[in-house]
Amino acid sequence: MIYFTSDLHFGHRGIIDMKKRPFRNVDEMNHCLLANFNAVVHRNDTVYILGDLCHHMTVDAANAIISRMNGRKYLLKGNHDKNYNPDLFCEIRDLMTLSYNGQEFTLMHYPMLSWPKIHQGGIHLHGHIHESAEYNLKNRAEGIRRYDVGVDANFFCPVSVKSISEFFGG
């Protein structure tokens, strides 16, 4: 299966208060995010991480967490990402497009106003803005095929390509 996620912010104490994440401290958040990730993404799955994996951590500490994450990982760099060990990822890029069952997806950390195949039903997946699930519902209601895959909008879990396709009626 293919999954997407973004903006985990492992190690970032301040994100708990800024985004009202339901954790007492950064250790609890890190544990929960890693457990949720590994409960959804299995060893042979593919996961696209659309940036901001870690923040306020050393590169070594970040690499230690990333190495415990399941799946074949692709990183779309965000504004807080460091020079992680590239061996932990299949690929590291700024922008990527992929096709799944004839559906075109454009992946980037930042939300875009326009993207490839926008007028042919293409879907843009992004993170960065730490929205709630209502953002995705509002976009769909307005006919905007843009989806925030960040953990704050997806119950602190990765979301599958199948779920996103079905969300937009595919």
Side-chain angles (χ1 to χ4, degrees):
M1 180 60 73
I2 297 172
Y3 294 95
F4 307 93
T5 193
S6 180
D7 298 288
L8 292 100
H9 281 251
F10 285 115
H12 187 191
R13 187 192 57 75
I15 199 74
I16 296 168
D17 292 330
M18 283 190 285
K19 294 301 169 184
K20 297 182 179 16
R21 289 187 175 182
F23 307 109
R24 289 183 304 242
N25 56 53
V26 73
D27 290 332
E28 180 183 13
M29 179 181 73
N30 289 353
H31 175 78
C32 181
L33 290 174
L34 184 60
N36 287 358
F37 184 97
N38 285 338
V40 172
V41 178
H42 297 99
R43 196 175 124 198
N44 293 319
D45 291 332
T46 298
V47 61
Y48 294 88
I49 302 166
L50 278 61
D52 288 2
L53 256 171
C54 303
H55 192 44
H56 294 301
M57 297 181 83
T58 67
V59 173
D60 288 341
N63 287 336
I65 287 179
I66 296 165
S67 71
R68 295 174 52 207
M69 297 170 77
N70 288 340
R72 294 182 306 271
K73 296 174 283 295
Y74 290 78
L75 177 64
L76 287 293
K77 293 186 291 189
N79 52 302
H80 294 300
D81 289 310
K82 310 238 188 277
N83 292 321
Y84 308 125
N85 179 350
D87 294 336
L88 297 171
F89 300 96
C90 297
E91 195 169 354
I92 299 173
R93 297 181 52 184
D94 292 317
L95 174 76
M96 183 180 285
T97 58
L98 66 97
S99 181
Y100 176 79
N101 287 344
Q103 176 65 61
E104 299 295 320
F105 293 90
T106 300
L107 317 178
M108 185 178 199
H109 177 65
Y110 304 99
M112 297 186 285
L113 293 176
S114 186
W115 53 90
K117 308 274 184 171
I118 187 174
H119 299 295
Q120 292 82 36
I123 298 172
H124 170 41
L125 305 180
H126 68 86
H128 185 64
I129 57 176
H130 296 271
E131 285 289 342
S132 67
E134 285 74 30
Y135 167 87
N136 293 329
L137 293 169
K138 183 176 183 257
N139 278 344
R140 182 178 65 185
E142 294 177 1
I144 301 168
R145 296 169 68 85
R146 182 175 57 223
Y147 191 98
D148 183 351
V149 299
V151 295
D152 298 292
N154 294 284
F155 308 103
F156 304 102
C157 292
V159 60
S160 73
V161 67
K162 182 179 177 196
S163 294
I164 294 169
S165 291
E166 289 173 355
F167 179 82
F168 286 110

